[in-house]
């Protein structure tokens, strides 16, 4: 392999995990305002699975390779970049191309790795923390003292929502599917959990809030869960739809939404402008990042796969049995004990 090549995972064709192929490709060019990151670890997320299936095309100016978050070291600086230096340890939200040994990223989407965090742990943060900061914090106006119902509480989005809520003084109720996942959500900071396999979510949420209901909902499930979210919400509540794992359509009671004066909002992160993503990064840097370096802060559980085993990582994510995040480790990451 030459000094201008790299190993990367490409999508050979839309389909199952077997569509992911390890290939030798040219390293990306570092354009004006970008940094080139030597990737040690890359996070695996739901949008990556959707892109692999052919359902989530990248923006026209983005890399066609999957991968929306990375951690590593800055290898080069594009023209106009003054906030970073070659060799800095960073984590970043990419616009694509994270499943590779090198990734070019707009400088505004890059953050320093928290003190004491490994590359693998840091790579598990950007996509989910940017998503939750954009939707729950900036758009839904999360405030101290609010109660937040968090679906998928043991996963990446859910774990981020629990920890961000705790940092900002809100109280999270985690919705889970097993005692082990309930324990994990509690370790992250949930003050209570609901096992949806044996409890009615809305009934339990109302009981936990003395009949008031929850102020905010973070939902990745969709489908029939929409009815539960409305029933569990307090007057003036805000339901944040982040994903639709169990269905993109739902039957809703408009009268219930009107009676409770609810807001239902949805958003996807990848199509947002560089300016919007940079604004989210600034909010994370100011309001959230300092907490991650505190002694005793609980880091997310991370399952590691070599970059070449990206297909197995996708199979593990589709099985929905993991807790925390799944990350891919490059040869550089393996050499640096990420």
């Amino acid at each position: 392999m030459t000094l201008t090549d790299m190993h990367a995972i490409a999508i050979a064709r839309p389909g199952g995990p077997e569509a992911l192929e390890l290939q030798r490709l040219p390293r990306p060019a570092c354009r004006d305002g970008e940094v080139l990151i030597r990737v040690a670890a890359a996070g695996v997320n739901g949008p990556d699975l959707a892109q692999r299936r052919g359902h989530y095309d990248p923006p026209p100016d983005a890399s066609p390779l999957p991968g929306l978050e990375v951690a590593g070291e800055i290898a080069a600086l594009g023209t106009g970049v003054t906030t970073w230096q070659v060799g800095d340890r960073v984590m970043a939200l990419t616009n694509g191309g994270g499943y590779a040994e090198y990734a070019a990223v707009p400088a505004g989407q890059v953050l320093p790795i928290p003190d004491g965090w490994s590359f693998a742990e840091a790579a598990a943060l950007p996509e989910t923390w940017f998503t939750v900061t954009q939707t729950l914090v900036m758009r839904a106006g999360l405030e101290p003292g609010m109660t937040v119902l968090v679906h998928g509480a043991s996963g990446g989005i859910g774990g981020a929502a629990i920890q961000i809520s705790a940092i900002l003084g809100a109280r999270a109720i985690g919705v889970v599917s097993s005692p082990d996942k309930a324990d994990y959500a509690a370790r992250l900071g949930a003050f209570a959990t609901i096992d949806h396999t044996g409890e009615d979510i809305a009934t339990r949420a109302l009981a936990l809030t003395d009949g008031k209901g929850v102020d905010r909902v973070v939902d990745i499930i969709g489908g029939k869960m929409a009815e539960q979210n409305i029933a569990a919400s307090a007057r003036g509540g805000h339901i944040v739809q982040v994903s639709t794992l169990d269905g993109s359509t739902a039957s809703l009671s408009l009268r219930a939404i009107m009676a409770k004066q609810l807001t239902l909002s949805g958003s996807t992160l990848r199509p947002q402008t560089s300016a919007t993503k940079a604004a989210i990064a600034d909010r994370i840097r100011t309001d959230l990042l300092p907490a991650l370096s505190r002694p005793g802060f609980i880091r997310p559980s991370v399952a590691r796969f070599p970059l070449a085993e990206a297909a197995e990582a996708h199979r593990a994510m589709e099985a929905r049995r993991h807790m925390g995040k799944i990350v891919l480790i490059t040869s550089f990451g393996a050499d640096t004990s990420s």
Side-chain angles (χ1 to χ4, degrees):
M1 189 161 61
T2 71
L3 293 177
T4 59
D5 289 346
M6 67 175 183
H7 286 116
I9 298 296
I11 300 172
R13 61 200 171 281
E18 67 281 355
L20 299 176
E21 291 185 354
L22 183 68
Q23 298 181 3
R24 183 180 296 179
L25 299 171
R27 293 182 188 177
C30 192
R31 297 178 291 192
D32 293 352
E34 291 184 338
V35 300
L36 183 67
I37 298 175
R38 188 180 186 188
V39 176
V44 177
N45 294 282
D48 303 338
L49 275 62
Q51 181 180 344
R52 188 205 72 219
R53 296 170 186 141
H55 301 155
Y56 196 48
D57 292 336
D61 61 344
S63 169
L65 302 177
L68 297 176
E69 60 184 351
V70 299
E73 291 184 357
I74 292 182
L77 304 174
T79 302
V81 176
T82 59
T83 51
W84 300 104
Q85 299 294 324
V86 172
D88 284 348
R89 285 168 49 91
V90 296
M91 56 186 182
L93 178 77
T94 77
N95 296 331
Y99 289 14
E101 293 181 316
Y102 288 85
V105 183
Q109 296 168 208
V110 181
L111 292 167
I113 292 178
D115 293 342
W117 286 57
S118 69
F119 284 130
E121 291 167 336
L125 287 180
E127 203 275 340
T128 53
W129 282 62
F130 272 69
T131 296
V132 174
T133 300
Q134 178 206 9
T135 56
L136 177 62
V137 179
M138 299 173 71
R139 190 169 183 186
L142 181 68
E143 295 180 357
M146 286 184 172
T147 303
V148 185
L149 183 67
V150 179
H151 292 278
S154 64
I157 291 288
I162 289 171
Q163 294 198 296
I164 288 171
S165 296
I167 291 170
L168 297 180
R171 304 170 74 234
I173 301 170
V175 181
V176 297
S177 60
S178 71
D180 287 346
K181 291 184 175 181
D183 289 343
Y184 179 70
R187 290 199 303 274
L188 293 180
F191 84 90
T193 57
I194 301 171
D195 189 333
H196 69 79
T197 66
E199 297 179 282
D200 181 81
I201 294 172
T203 300
R204 181 65 175 146
L206 289 169
L208 289 168
T209 56
D210 296 325
K212 173 191 172 185
V214 297
D215 302 294
R216 299 292 183 266
V217 178
V218 178
D219 185 24
I220 63 170
I221 306 301
K224 294 181 179 179
M225 196 58 69
E227 296 179 9
Q228 289 283 315
N229 293 336
I230 292 171
S233 291
R235 185 179 181 85
H238 191 140
I239 301 167
V240 174
Q241 198 71 47
V242 178
S243 185
T244 55
L245 295 179
D246 285 354
S248 59
T249 60
S251 176
L252 301 177
S253 170
L254 298 179
R255 287 187 178 275
I257 293 175
M258 294 163 60
K260 288 190 172 185
Q261 299 182 12
L262 301 181
T263 299
L264 171 61
S265 65
S267 180
T268 54
L269 180 61
R270 192 173 194 179
Q272 303 298 323
T273 66
S274 294
T276 297
K277 293 175 182 177
I280 300 168
D282 286 342
R283 188 68 176 267
I284 294 172
R285 184 183 294 106
T286 301
D287 294 351
L288 302 174
L289 205 56
L292 276 64
S293 297
R294 294 174 189 162
F297 186 89
I298 302 299
R299 302 173 193 177
S301 175
V302 175
R304 298 164 171 83
F305 289 79
L307 179 66
E309 296 180 13
E312 289 304 313
H314 274 219
R315 291 187 182 98
M317 187 163 183
E318 288 176 335
R320 296 196 198 178
R321 291 191 293 269
H322 70 286
M323 291 184 285
K325 291 291 292 286
I326 296 171
V327 301
L328 303 175
I329 306 297
T330 67
S331 57
F332 171 59
D335 290 343
T336 54
S337 300
S338 62

